[in-house]
Amino acid sequence: MSEAREFRYVGTRPIRPDGVDKVTGRANFGADMFMPGMLHAKVLRSPHAHARIKRVDLSKALQIPGVHAAVSGADFPDIASEAMAGVVDLAINVMARDKALYHGHAVAGVAATSPAIAEAALGAIEVEYELLPPVMDLDTAMADGATLVREDNYTQGLPEKPDKPSNVAGYFALSRGDLEAGFAEADVIIEREYSTPTVHQGYIEPHACVVRAGEDGQALVWCSTQGHFDVRSASAKVLGMDVSNIKVIASEIGGGFGGKTTIYLEPVAIRLSQKSGRPVKLVMNREEVFRASGPGSASKSKVKIGAKRDGTFIAIHCWHAYEAGAYQGSPMRPGLMCAFASYEIDHFLIEGFDVLVNKPKVAAYRAPGAPQSVYATECAIDEIARELGMDPIDIRLKNAVKEGSEATYGPKFRAIGLVECLEAAKQHPNYQVKLGENEGRGVAAGFWFNAGMQSSAQVHVNENGTVTIVEGSPDIGGSRASMALMCAEELGIPYENIHVVIGDTESAGFNSGTGGSRVTFATGMAVIEASRDVKRQLCARAAMTWSVDAEQVDWEDGHAVPKPGVNVEAEPLTLAQIATGAPRTGGPISGRASLTARGPGPGFSVNFTDVRVDRETGKVDVLRFTAIQDAGKAVHPDYVEGQLQGGAVQGIGWALNEEYIWDEQGTMENAGFLDYRIPVASDMPMIDTQIVEVPNPTHPYGVRGVGETPIVAPLAATANAVADATGVRITDLPLSPPRVLAAMDAAEGK
Amino acid sequence: MSEAREFRYVGTRPIRPDGVDKVTGRANFGADMFMPGMLHAKVLRSPHAHARIKRVDLSKALQIPGVHAAVSGADFPDIASEAMAGVVDLAINVMARDKALYHGHAVAGVAATSPAIAEAALGAIEVEYELLPPVMDLDTAMADGATLVREDNYTQGLPEKPDKPSNVAGYFALSRGDLEAGFAEADVIIEREYSTPTVHQGYIEPHACVVRAGEDGQALVWCSTQGHFDVRSASAKVLGMDVSNIKVIASEIGGGFGGKTTIYLEPVAIRLSQKSGRPVKLVMNREEVFRASGPGSASKSKVKIGAKRDGTFIAIHCWHAYEAGAYQGSPMRPGLMCAFASYEIDHFLIEGFDVLVNKPKVAAYRAPGAPQSVYATECAIDEIARELGMDPIDIRLKNAVKEGSEATYGPKFRAIGLVECLEAAKQHPNYQVKLGENEGRGVAAGFWFNAGMQSSAQVHVNENGTVTIVEGSPDIGGSRASMALMCAEELGIPYENIHVVIGDTESAGFNSGTGGSRVTFATGMAVIEASRDVKRQLCARAAMTWSVDAEQVDWEDGHAVPKPGVNVEAEPLTLAQIATGAPRTGGPISGRASLTARGPGPGFSVNFTDVRVDRETGKVDVLRFTAIQDAGKAVHPDYVEGQLQGGAVQGIGWALNEEYIWDEQGTMENAGFLDYRIPVASDMPMIDTQIVEVPNPTHPYGVRGVGETPIVAPLAATANAVADATGVRITDLPLSPPRVLAAMDAAEGK
């Protein structure tokens, strides 16, 4: 299906269509919508990490002048009802019913004529709690006799249903070969434990929505989201509404990284709007984002890996526990599938646990689950290489999966680019740089499946020959530009003549959300198909003009031309000429495609980094970071590079600084960007990137997703570099100055 | 192409989807948009009907605190430039350059932080005028040596270009046979002169727009319009912009009747937004609507008609002059084509003139041109019938066009319903009512071509089996409901499961405006085609599920079923079942159609009315009004009846009360709804309607447009009734109390 071809537009780097809007501040984000008569809403949140809710009394709040509506759990559908089967967790996360499950859990909401009145009204809501002991870490949660976060939770995925409830929500395992025999064959075995903390995606724009619900049961939702069709279906389920009664418009989005694939505010705002008869704006502040939106999962891993003297991996046993928050559904399963997906291995058992704790429900965070598990395996590989005295790239090259390899998670790979990335790393000038004192270098490989899912696109030809694309994937990383480039490539018209629109749920065909690294691949495929639909029509219109059959016309370089051998006197017709004549040849020209995209090409990366560690403070400075990744075909290389750079920075932050800090009562102590420190530009060197292009054979242009793989390898690459610099292996992230200092002091016997 | 069939949904009367929005006041019209940082704009208008503009000085206005931008003609593209060829009239109507052509002509605009500051700023703009004599009526304009409204106007449509400019912009004629011979054969000849005044469409919502133009050359326009694609192209032309840089969202619309098919405010608001860097709202008040938006054309007609003793029409000579306002383009041509379209006649000359005067450029008004010309011919026919002692319905039946008749305007009619309407009128109980003293009855027939033009529609299947239609025709008369009914009919799913969205210029495929009585016909055809596209896909998905060929599956009554004889064990699949499974059978399901609709079935009507005339005051009361019309197939009969009733009321207003009153300087003296009196509910009886259905053979359901024909016949029907009641024939409209009283007095020799 992929074509060996030269590209004219794809692969160039034009300015993105939404660029001016965003640099001038004109772009409208989630909180930037105003509606006549709009109220301002606030949410009352539990001050306790685990408590039974005995009573919620809204009456005093409702007496405050300016308060138009208030809601609590009782205002939402009964979770015991049959219609709510399958959405109970989502529903009670949006608004608590009988229990508050984490500090920050929504307990009530109010809508008033000003934010100040709404805030005052929160103080007038009476809630009676019965405190329960909070379960705040994996060890406590998994211990025998632990307090239960959810009294009705039974572990899923075991051969038999367990006889009593526990905090383990799920078990999953991948295996092949004979583990015992494998380890018996190994010349060297490394066995280690690792952990990663709760981290936040750190999107700059908080969750926000503006909602208008009407007397006819219709609701209009404007919000910041990665998937407005998902907001529509999730909100409908939580409220017991029909999807066709909810229209969702995706505002511009100030970052998501997986964290905006679910809902928090929208059903609350809809209910408040229904009760008040007025539009309602509901916006989280940063503290609420930290306390009540889904972070990335904390994890604990045990890795035992055995290799032959020549570096061949022979057996691995991985054990990974992931925090789910107070609701089942950590990214444990994809985490396990990614853990050792980059390598060929005969004997393995990769098993994991999805564990409940009294923390907010985790959300997806870029390649969900993979950074945690790959951090553990890529650190262990580093220790094996060190033990064997092998170059860390060479040991990976020796074991790297390639076309035909059987992935640990099942399928046989088609054409993939891991070997090419490793070879590029080895050749890279940065890999030749000599290191100084207290400096170290770390290498790691990363992997993500990439996703396909559902996309729709329409391509409308305007009367002057310009083109409008309507698609339904919120543009986070420059996808408007990529869509326009692919359409330009198909139609042979300049990029500037193409305008891309992200339609709302009522103007675009159905689209899965922007996530899974699927948009350039899948929505791109829909745009290509819809553009080809347009080309067929353009050829048919030209044929009509020339009185020949449609099959006798070709589309070449932006023109309809008679096929060779067709006996007609005809000047080539441009798209603009055909568009201008369209009213006389059958009317407007529009193409469309809807598809479930199959065969997203897996994405592999290799990262290496040089760090310097300050012996006095334990502070780690990143000197160089090189991100190499197979993009299949880079449609807009700037935005591929941006993904590589952004993923690297987020991964470095995860490795070095970021972590939620909780007190014993389960209160997060650093719920703000001053205390929860994400890397800023001045912390980082320029991230060097190199794009490898091994075409994805299932995409017409060879495109692979690129958005998630970049965050997978940096944790281990950074940790491996710190170990190299200090000679001390710290296995618990983050490698923050106190921890690094303490480890170095301990190693020196201080 | 039309099918003899039973309908299940088409022909029912469900509640319209926008009904609740509109009765609760939640619907957002042209002035109901707010944007952050928005300015309020006002337009300075010429106080002179005809003046040379020597100087416009904006500097003092710009010094007023709060004023952010001001524009005059100099801020718009040079009308002498090649790019402006063909749009000069539109451009200088939007903003005057060297001449003010009517009282109210836009001369400058300002944008300020409040409407009050903007108003104050208008007063600070200095304009120096050199007054010219205004040309205010047809006789003055057409007289030899008249002052020229446009010094460079030469009559178009004459065999040779005239050797000197004049106020006649165009000439057109239709003819057949030998006029002299025809009149020589006639047993009776009537020759009369008629006139109609300038009238306004009287839409309740004034022109309004909110605009945001940006640094990247993009502009967003929210406005009340009958055709947002037309606003896009017209604004682009006037401003020298590319259509793909303008996005137009059609707000809900509070009436248009043809008057919102052009632009006045949008380019001014865009320019002010570009200059200020802020969004701009620009709204006309009622006085501005009267003074500066396009009214219906005033006319003068001379009709000479000859008939045989048995009532057969043998020859007609019509002469019609139409006021164009200050720019060529009155509806003279369609007016001439409609003048005698209802009748067979061997010898005719129908000729007309498009005449410039110092009044606002006329705009379309429901069946543009036809009420004026048909008023004249249908009054003359009434006099012939009276002269021959024939029933006015019988004489029309004797001459009525039918299938195969050659229209005066050219083509042969296919199946049409005039005879059926006339017969229905004759049978109608209202036609049997006995009249009392001072009461009279009048009959008239009406005709409108109806239009096709371009339409596009998408039909998206939602994941739960509900359906969203995206089309691009602003909904004025209930077309959302009609579209949903046609889609329901095709797909066999309930009307309530279908949601209709009017997409903006970037989410819907191209659509011509809502006008010409084309939407239910043409956009409906697109919806039917797009629904059939969906059905094909639904059958293919079912076939995939059943492992049979797509051709082996039928769509029946909302279900996919194997065709008779296909050997497969298969339960019928509902649309909802197929939709739910769509992710696994190829992804989302969307249908689309774009077309230039051919064969809009001509629409005929017959109206008759009973009036009572007050001998003391001359006031005419309408006692009964019966509107009978061929709808082809009434998709939603309520809205067909609504069109018949609304057209009747507007036609009665035109006949009895409405007129622009000008002083000698060309100032309109009654620019408000208190002095320009449109009929209100208490003035009118219930308008009785009867829908005749002679299917349009070129539409799949037999649909004909119905929106314009209803206004054609009421002028003559009312005038004929007044003549019947008073025994006096008044040929100049309106038949206002002073005029009727004076005529009665004169007849009685007072």
Side-chain angles (χ1 to χ4, degrees):
Chain A
M1 187 171 165
S2 178
E3 300 153 9
R5 56 177 291 175
E6 292 293 310
F7 291 97
R8 179 165 172 190
Y9 297 101
V10 162
T12 63
R13 300 169 184 251
I15 291 172
R16 61 194 283 176
D18 49 329
V20 173
D21 268 16
K22 285 176 178 166
V23 299
T24 59
R26 192 181 63 205
N28 291 324
F29 292 88
D32 291 338
M33 168 59 84
F34 298 81
M35 292 185 188
M38 185 178 78
L39 302 175
H40 298 267
K42 296 266 179 192
V43 170
L44 182 70
R45 300 186 177 279
S46 168
H48 309 298
H50 197 188
R52 215 167 293 286
I53 299 170
K54 311 289 283 184
R55 187 176 64 91
V56 181
D57 185 347
L58 306 169
S59 57
K60 292 200 179 121
L62 284 165
Q63 286 163 20
I64 295 174
V67 173
H68 282 248
V71 294
S72 67
D75 294 289
F76 292 81
D78 180 4
I79 53 170
S81 74
E82 205 177 321
M84 296 299 285
V87 289
V88 170
D89 278 8
L90 186 64
I92 67 174
N93 194 35
V94 160
M95 188 57 70
R97 308 294 154 90
D98 59 337
K99 261 177 93 170
L101 292 165
Y102 53 92
H103 182 129
H105 194 166
V107 172
V110 296
T113 46
S114 78
I117 295 174
E119 190 72 43
L122 291 190
I125 297 173
E126 293 175 2
V127 188
E128 194 180 320
Y129 294 101
E130 176 192 326
L131 298 197
L132 301 168
V135 179
M136 295 306 295
D137 61 66
L138 287 164
D139 289 340
T140 308
M142 295 176 84
D144 250 3
T147 300
L148 292 176
V149 175
R150 307 284 293 275
E151 288 81 358
D152 56 353
N153 177 73
Y154 290 81
T155 311
Q156 304 279 317
L158 296 174
E160 287 178 23
K161 188 180 174 183
D163 57 3
K164 56 174 189 178
S166 79
N167 287 322
V168 177
Y171 173 80
F172 179 61
L174 296 163
S175 65
R176 193 184 299 152
D178 179 335
L179 209 58
E180 208 171 324
F183 282 117
E185 276 184 61
D187 298 314
V188 53
I189 292 177
I190 289 285
E191 193 165 3
R192 294 283 183 276
E193 287 193 27
Y194 303 90
S195 75
T196 68
T198 303
V199 293
H200 197 272
Q201 300 86 351
Y203 34 84
I204 299 306
E205 184 201 16
H207 296 271
C209 66
V210 183
V211 159
R212 184 180 67 188
E215 295 79 356
D216 55 354
Q218 304 269 330
L220 169 69
V221 177
W222 161 280
C223 66
S224 175
T225 178
Q226 293 178 239
H228 42 316
F229 289 87
D230 300 330
V231 171
R232 180 176 71 162
S233 67
S235 300
K237 283 177 193 156
V238 165
L239 293 167
M241 291 174 69
D242 190 289
V243 289
S244 63
N245 286 332
I246 301 181
K247 170 180 178 173
V248 183
I249 307 172
S251 70
E252 294 297 339
I253 174 169
F257 310 110
K260 287 181 184 162
T261 54
T262 186
I263 55 165
Y264 301 103
L265 305 177
E266 291 79 1
V268 180
I270 291 172
R271 205 44 116 222
L272 287 167
S273 181
Q274 286 170 335
K275 291 197 115 184
S276 63
R278 302 267 290 263
V280 168
K281 177 181 283 195
L282 181 47
V283 182
M284 283 194 190
N285 61 26
R286 180 61 53 186
E287 185 182 333
E288 289 178 289
V289 171
F290 272 112
R291 292 205 196 284
S293 76
S297 182
S299 70
K300 191 164 175 169
S301 300
K302 301 174 191 174
V303 176
K304 180 182 174 185
I305 177 168
K308 304 280 244 184
R309 181 72 50 205
D310 68 352
T312 307
F313 300 150
I314 186 79
I316 190 165
H317 179 198
C318 299
W319 178 104
H320 301 285
Y322 285 80
E323 285 186 6
Y327 310 83
Q328 66 81 26
S330 74
M332 175 265 286
R333 189 181 287 250
L336 302 191
M337 292 165 79
C338 290
F340 214 65
S342 297
Y343 306 106
E344 297 188 325
I345 190 150
D346 289 336
H347 309 285
F348 62 83
L349 170 62
I350 301 170
E351 57 183 342
F353 302 87
D354 180 30
V355 183
L356 303 180
V357 290
N358 286 117
K359 298 183 182 175
K361 174 168 176 37
V362 298
Y365 179 18
R366 237 175 158 164
Q372 295 96 323
S373 61
V374 171
Y375 161 64
T377 53
E378 289 286 322
C379 284
I381 289 169
D382 197 66
E383 294 207 54
I384 288 269
R386 207 165 279 272
E387 183 101 3
L388 293 172
M390 280 183 81
D391 176 274
I393 295 181
D394 288 340
I395 197 170
R396 287 174 170 88
L397 265 171
K398 183 150 199 84
N399 295 282
V401 288
K402 51 191 83 69
E403 187 166 356
S405 299
E406 200 173 342
T408 50
Y409 62 89
K412 273 206 167 67
F413 286 115
R414 301 185 63 176
I416 51 173
L418 176 57
V419 168
E420 287 78 356
C421 288
L422 286 163
E423 282 167 351
K426 205 154 181 202
Q427 302 303 320
H428 199 283
N430 284 359
Y431 202 64
Q432 326 307 330
V433 174
K434 291 274 176 269
L435 296 172
E437 203 184 351
N438 297 328
E439 294 181 2
R441 177 167 296 154
V443 175
F447 164 80
W448 182 250
F449 319 92
N450 296 323
M453 320 218 292
Q454 298 182 79
S455 285
S456 298
Q458 282 99 46
V459 174
H460 301 303
V461 177
N462 297 322
E463 66 262 41
N464 67 343
T466 59
V467 163
T468 301
I469 300 172
V470 181
E471 43 105 344
S473 301
D475 179 358
I476 306 184
S479 58
R480 286 183 183 91
S482 304
M483 298 305 135
L485 284 168
M486 289 187 267
C487 180
E489 194 70 46
E490 285 299 321
L491 298 181
I493 62 171
Y495 169 85
E496 292 70 25
N497 287 8
I498 299 167
H499 189 66
V500 184
V501 177
I502 316 302
D504 57 51
T505 55
E506 290 186 345
S507 51
F510 185 87
N511 274 267
S512 307
T514 296
S517 298
R518 58 174 291 278
V519 171
T520 313
F521 169 73
T523 307
M525 212 182 251
V527 166
I528 291 169
E529 268 196 28
S531 301
R532 290 178 179 177
D533 185 12
V534 165
K535 275 201 291 197
R536 277 189 296 275
Q537 297 175 55
L538 292 168
C539 289
R541 301 297 177 96
M544 195 181 298
T545 309
W546 296 332
S547 302
V548 300
D549 289 342
E551 297 70 40
Q552 297 181 298
V553 179
D554 256 348
W555 191 257
E556 265 179 21
D557 194 25
H559 296 76
V561 294
K563 281 189 180 165
V566 175
N567 187 19
V568 59
E569 288 273 325
E571 286 297 304
L573 286 171
T574 65
L575 192 150
Q577 287 169 325
I578 298 171
T580 308
R584 293 182 302 280
T585 57
I589 298 169
S590 294
R592 65 111 171 77
S594 287
L595 47 82
T596 294
R598 307 284 180 193
F604 290 89
S605 68
V606 174
N607 291 180
F608 61 94
T609 181
D610 298 344
V611 302
R612 183 187 298 128
V613 179
D614 186 324
R615 287 270 169 193
E616 300 293 317
T617 61
K619 177 169 187 279
V620 177
D621 282 321
V622 178
L623 304 176
R624 279 168 289 280
F625 195 102
T626 311
I628 300 169
Q629 187 173 320
D630 174 20
K633 173 68 201 174
V635 174
H636 192 305
D638 274 0
Y639 301 138
V640 174
E641 291 164 6
Q643 291 288 352
L644 271 51
Q645 293 168 324
V649 171
Q650 287 189 310
I652 294 167
W654 201 337
L656 294 180
N657 286 300
E658 299 182 34
E659 62 179 321
Y660 277 41
I661 298 167
W662 315 84
D663 71 10
E664 284 177 5
Q665 280 72 47
T667 304
M668 184 186 175
E669 296 187 314
N670 60 336
F673 273 150
L674 283 177
D675 299 316
Y676 179 99
R677 191 160 190 288
I678 62 174
V680 296
S682 56
D683 294 329
M684 289 288 120
M686 183 66 187
I687 307 293
D688 295 313
T689 59
Q690 185 174 341
I691 301 170
V692 167
E693 293 187 333
V694 175
N696 171 12
T698 53
H699 185 277
Y701 296 171
V703 167
R704 298 174 194 275
V706 297
E708 291 172 286
T709 301
I711 203 176
V712 179
L715 284 68
T718 306
N720 290 340
V722 172
D724 188 41
T726 60
V728 182
R729 172 62 65 171
I730 309 165
T731 55
D732 297 322
L733 296 185
L735 306 178
S736 54
R739 185 172 283 162
V740 172
L741 190 61
M744 288 190 297
D745 285 352
E748 289 171 13
K750 284 186 188 169
Chain B
M1 187 169 163
S2 179
E3 300 152 11
R5 56 177 292 176
E6 291 295 308
F7 291 98
R8 179 165 171 189
Y9 297 101
V10 162
T12 63
R13 302 169 183 248
I15 290 172
R16 62 195 282 176
D18 50 329
V20 173
D21 268 16
K22 286 176 177 166
V23 298
T24 60
R26 193 180 64 206
N28 291 324
F29 292 87
D32 290 338
M33 168 58 85
F34 298 82
M35 292 186 189
M38 186 178 80
L39 303 176
H40 298 266
K42 297 265 181 192
V43 169
L44 183 71
R45 299 186 178 280
S46 168
H48 309 296
H50 198 189
R52 216 167 294 284
I53 299 170
K54 311 289 284 182
R55 188 175 64 90
V56 181
D57 185 348
L58 306 170
S59 57
K60 292 202 178 120
L62 283 164
Q63 285 162 21
I64 295 175
V67 173
H68 283 248
V71 293
S72 68
D75 294 288
F76 292 81
D78 180 5
I79 53 170
S81 74
E82 205 177 321
M84 296 298 286
V87 289
V88 169
D89 278 7
L90 187 62
I92 67 174
N93 194 36
V94 161
M95 187 59 68
R97 308 292 155 87
D98 59 335
K99 260 177 95 168
L101 293 166
Y102 54 92
H103 182 129
H105 195 167
V107 171
V110 295
T113 47
S114 78
I117 295 174
E119 190 72 44
L122 291 189
I125 296 173
E126 294 174 0
V127 187
E128 193 180 322
Y129 294 101
E130 174 192 328
L131 299 197
L132 300 168
V135 179
M136 295 308 295
D137 61 67
L138 287 163
D139 288 340
T140 309
M142 294 176 85
D144 251 2
T147 300
L148 291 177
V149 176
R150 306 285 293 276
E151 289 82 359
D152 56 352
N153 176 73
Y154 289 80
T155 310
Q156 304 280 316
L158 294 174
E160 285 176 26
K161 188 179 173 180
D163 57 4
K164 58 174 186 172
S166 78
N167 288 322
V168 177
Y171 173 80
F172 178 63
L174 295 163
S175 64
R176 194 186 296 153
D178 179 336
L179 209 58
E180 208 171 322
F183 282 117
E185 277 183 60
D187 298 314
V188 53
I189 292 177
I190 288 285
E191 193 165 2
R192 295 283 181 276
E193 285 193 26
Y194 303 90
S195 75
T196 69
T198 303
V199 292
H200 198 271
Q201 300 85 352
Y203 35 83
I204 299 306
E205 184 200 17
H207 296 270
C209 67
V210 182
V211 159
R212 184 180 67 187
E215 296 78 357
D216 54 355
Q218 303 269 330
L220 169 69
V221 177
W222 161 281
C223 66
S224 175
T225 177
Q226 292 178 239
H228 41 318
F229 289 87
D230 299 331
V231 171
R232 181 175 71 162
S233 68
S235 300
K237 282 178 194 155
V238 164
L239 293 167
M241 291 173 71
D242 189 288
V243 288
S244 64
N245 286 332
I246 302 181
K247 170 179 177 173
V248 184
I249 307 172
S251 70
E252 294 296 339
I253 174 170
F257 309 110
K260 289 182 183 160
T261 53
T262 186
I263 55 166
Y264 302 102
L265 305 176
E266 292 79 2
V268 180
I270 292 174
R271 207 42 117 220
L272 287 167
S273 181
Q274 287 170 333
K275 291 199 117 184
S276 64
R278 302 266 291 263
V280 168
K281 177 182 282 195
L282 182 46
V283 182
M284 282 192 189
N285 60 25
R286 180 61 54 188
E287 185 181 334
E288 289 178 290
V289 171
F290 272 112
R291 290 206 195 285
S293 76
S297 183
S299 69
K300 190 165 177 169
S301 300
K302 302 175 191 174
V303 176
K304 179 181 177 188
I305 177 167
K308 304 278 242 183
R309 180 74 47 211
D310 67 355
T312 306
F313 301 151
I314 186 81
I316 189 164
H317 179 198
C318 300
W319 178 104
H320 301 285
Y322 285 80
E323 285 186 7
Y327 310 85
Q328 65 82 26
S330 74
M332 173 265 286
R333 188 180 287 250
L336 300 193
M337 291 165 79
C338 291
F340 214 65
S342 298
Y343 306 106
E344 296 187 326
I345 188 151
D346 288 336
H347 309 284
F348 61 85
L349 169 62
I350 302 169
E351 58 183 343
F353 302 86
D354 180 30
V355 184
L356 303 180
V357 290
N358 286 118
K359 299 183 181 176
K361 173 167 176 36
V362 298
Y365 180 18
R366 236 174 161 166
Q372 295 95 324
S373 60
V374 171
Y375 160 64
T377 52
E378 289 286 323
C379 285
I381 288 168
D382 197 67
E383 295 207 53
I384 289 268
R386 207 166 279 272
E387 183 101 3
L388 294 171
M390 280 184 82
D391 176 273
I393 295 181
D394 287 339
I395 197 171
R396 288 173 171 88
L397 265 172
K398 182 151 201 83
N399 296 282
V401 286
K402 50 190 84 73
E403 187 167 355
S405 298
E406 202 173 342
T408 50
Y409 62 91
K412 273 205 166 67
F413 287 115
R414 300 186 61 177
I416 50 173
L418 176 57
V419 168
E420 288 78 357
C421 289
L422 286 163
E423 282 167 351
K426 207 154 180 203
Q427 302 305 320
H428 199 284
N430 285 358
Y431 202 65
Q432 326 308 330
V433 174
K434 292 270 177 276
L435 295 172
E437 201 183 352
N438 297 326
E439 294 179 2
R441 177 167 297 156
V443 175
F447 163 80
W448 182 250
F449 319 92
N450 296 322
M453 319 219 287
Q454 298 183 79
S455 286
S456 298
Q458 282 98 44
V459 174
H460 301 303
V461 178
N462 296 322
E463 66 262 40
N464 67 343
T466 58
V467 163
T468 301
I469 299 172
V470 181
E471 44 105 342
S473 300
D475 179 358
I476 306 184
S479 58
R480 286 184 184 90
S482 304
M483 298 305 135
L485 284 168
M486 288 187 266
C487 181
E489 194 70 45
E490 285 299 320
L491 298 180
I493 61 172
Y495 169 84
E496 291 72 24
N497 287 9
I498 299 167
H499 190 67
V500 184
V501 177
I502 315 303
D504 57 52
T505 54
E506 290 186 346
S507 50
F510 185 87
N511 274 267
S512 306
T514 296
S517 299
R518 59 173 290 279
V519 171
T520 313
F521 169 73
T523 307
M525 211 183 251
V527 166
I528 291 169
E529 269 197 26
S531 302
R532 290 177 179 177
D533 186 11
V534 165
K535 274 200 293 196
R536 278 190 294 276
Q537 297 175 56
L538 291 168
C539 290
R541 300 298 177 96
M544 194 181 297
T545 309
W546 297 332
S547 301
V548 301
D549 290 342
E551 296 70 40
Q552 297 180 298
V553 179
D554 256 349
W555 191 258
E556 267 180 17
D557 194 24
H559 296 75
V561 294
K563 281 190 180 163
V566 175
N567 187 19
V568 60
E569 288 273 325
E571 287 296 304
L573 286 171
T574 64
L575 192 150
Q577 287 169 328
I578 298 172
T580 308
R584 294 181 302 280
T585 57
I589 298 168
S590 294
R592 64 112 173 75
S594 287
L595 47 81
T596 294
R598 307 283 181 195
F604 290 89
S605 67
V606 174
N607 291 179
F608 61 93
T609 182
D610 297 345
V611 302
R612 183 186 299 126
V613 179
D614 186 324
R615 287 271 170 193
E616 299 294 316
T617 63
K619 177 167 185 282
V620 176
D621 283 319
V622 178
L623 305 176
R624 276 168 292 280
F625 194 102
T626 311
I628 300 170
Q629 187 174 320
D630 175 18
K633 173 68 201 173
V635 174
H636 192 305
D638 274 0
Y639 301 138
V640 174
E641 290 165 7
Q643 291 288 352
L644 270 51
Q645 292 168 324
V649 172
Q650 287 189 312
I652 294 167
W654 201 336
L656 294 181
N657 285 300
E658 299 182 35
E659 61 178 323
Y660 277 40
I661 298 167
W662 317 83
D663 70 11
E664 282 177 7
Q665 280 71 48
T667 303
M668 184 185 175
E669 296 185 315
N670 59 337
F673 274 150
L674 284 177
D675 298 317
Y676 180 99
R677 193 158 188 290
I678 62 175
V680 297
S682 56
D683 294 329
M684 289 289 119
M686 183 66 186
I687 306 293
D688 296 311
T689 59
Q690 184 173 342
I691 302 170
V692 167
E693 293 187 334
V694 176
N696 172 10
T698 53
H699 185 277
Y701 295 172
V703 167
R704 299 175 194 274
V706 298
E708 291 172 286
T709 302
I711 203 175
V712 179
L715 283 68
T718 307
N720 290 341
V722 171
D724 188 43
T726 60
V728 183
R729 174 61 66 171
I730 309 165
T731 56
D732 297 321
L733 296 187
L735 306 178
S736 54
R739 186 171 283 160
V740 173
L741 190 61
M744 289 190 297
D745 286 352
E748 290 170 15
K750 283 186 186 167

